[in-house]
Amino acid sequence: MEKQKNEEEREEEKLPLKDFEQKLLRNWPKARKMEQLEVLEEEKRFHDKTMEFLQNQHELEQELHMLKEKTQQIQQENREKFNTLGCKKTLQTDRLMEMKRKFREMEQVVKEYREEQEILCQKEAEDRAAIKIQTWWRGCMVRLGLSASSRERESKKSKKTKGKKTKGK
């Protein structure tokens, strides 16, 4: 092939200008085919690169789609967890409020019980004090002989003595 090209070049040098033009015209389809082949090869490379790019883009789009689905799934799970936690918090808050209410009721019952016990203790103390005063007073009356029982004894003795004296006379 090189020999042919070399020979053609030599011939071109020898040929006058018109012949050269004729040779160019003869070789023009060949050159054009060569140019077309180069263009086709360039287009093929461009096509291959484009296909590679499109394939890569398609893979990236699939990966993006999968990531979007996964993100949506995770978001849905998180929403469900959030809602569940919200419900649990509401229930716990309700339980807390109920327990506080019961605590206040029980605290009121304990307060009332303590007040009643205090009143009972005061009454018992008053009763003991009254008993002591009454005991002291009765003791004083007995010592002085002014008690009702001693008056009754004396009145019975005087009746007996009066009755005996009259019988004996």
Side-chain angles (χ1 to χ4, degrees):
M1 199 144 202
E2 288 181 32
K3 288 181 181 180
Q4 235 180 8
K5 285 183 182 177
N6 287 337
E7 288 176 17
E8 288 176 5
E9 287 176 9
R10 285 184 202 154
E11 285 179 24
E12 288 175 7
E13 290 174 2
K14 295 178 186 175
L15 292 177
L17 194 55
K18 282 190 177 181
D19 289 338
F20 181 71
E21 287 176 357
Q22 285 178 358
K23 185 154 184 161
L24 272 174
L25 288 175
R26 275 185 290 168
N27 289 334
W28 178 257
K30 224 183 210 183
R32 188 155 166 111
K33 283 182 182 177
M34 294 282 281
E35 196 176 284
Q36 286 176 347
L37 282 175
E38 288 175 6
V39 169
L40 281 175
E41 285 179 16
E42 183 71 25
E43 284 181 3
K44 185 179 179 192
R45 276 184 296 202
F46 181 75
H47 175 73
D48 290 342
K49 286 184 179 181
T50 304
M51 290 304 292
E52 183 181 324
F53 172 78
L54 290 174
Q55 181 66 29
N56 189 23
Q57 185 177 5
H58 180 70
E59 290 171 2
L60 290 174
E61 285 177 353
Q62 285 179 338
E63 187 176 347
L64 178 65
H65 181 71
M66 287 173 42
L67 289 173
K68 281 182 179 180
E69 285 180 357
K70 189 174 181 179
T71 302
Q72 288 175 350
Q73 182 183 6
I74 291 170
Q75 285 177 341
Q76 182 64 30
E77 289 172 1
N78 287 341
R79 275 190 219 106
E80 289 172 3
K81 285 180 185 177
F82 180 75
N83 290 337
T84 302
L85 289 174
C87 291
K88 284 182 181 179
K89 180 185 176 207
T90 304
L91 291 173
Q92 293 295 330
T93 304
D94 291 344
R95 282 185 57 203
L96 177 65
M97 297 303 280
E98 180 65 21
M99 292 174 99
K100 282 182 178 181
R101 184 188 62 77
K102 285 181 180 180
F103 177 77
R104 282 192 301 272
E105 288 175 4
M106 289 179 188
E107 191 176 38
Q108 184 65 29
V109 168
V110 168
K111 186 178 178 182
E112 289 172 2
Y113 176 77
R114 285 183 181 162
E115 288 173 358
E116 288 174 8
Q117 290 299 315
E118 190 176 318
I119 291 170
L120 285 174
C121 285
Q122 284 177 351
K123 283 185 179 181
E124 286 177 3
E126 287 175 6
D127 289 346
R128 281 190 302 248
I131 290 170
K132 283 183 182 179
I133 293 170
Q134 288 173 358
T135 305
W136 174 79
W137 180 253
R138 286 184 188 142
C140 289
M141 295 304 279
V142 167
R143 280 184 225 106
L144 293 174
L146 301 173
S147 71
S149 61
S150 59
R151 279 189 212 146
E152 286 178 11
R153 280 188 223 137
E154 283 182 20
S155 65
K156 283 184 182 179
K157 282 184 183 179
S158 63
K159 284 182 183 177
K160 284 184 182 180
T161 56
K162 284 183 185 177
K164 286 184 180 181
K165 289 181 181 179
T166 51
K167 280 187 182 177
K169 291 182 181 178

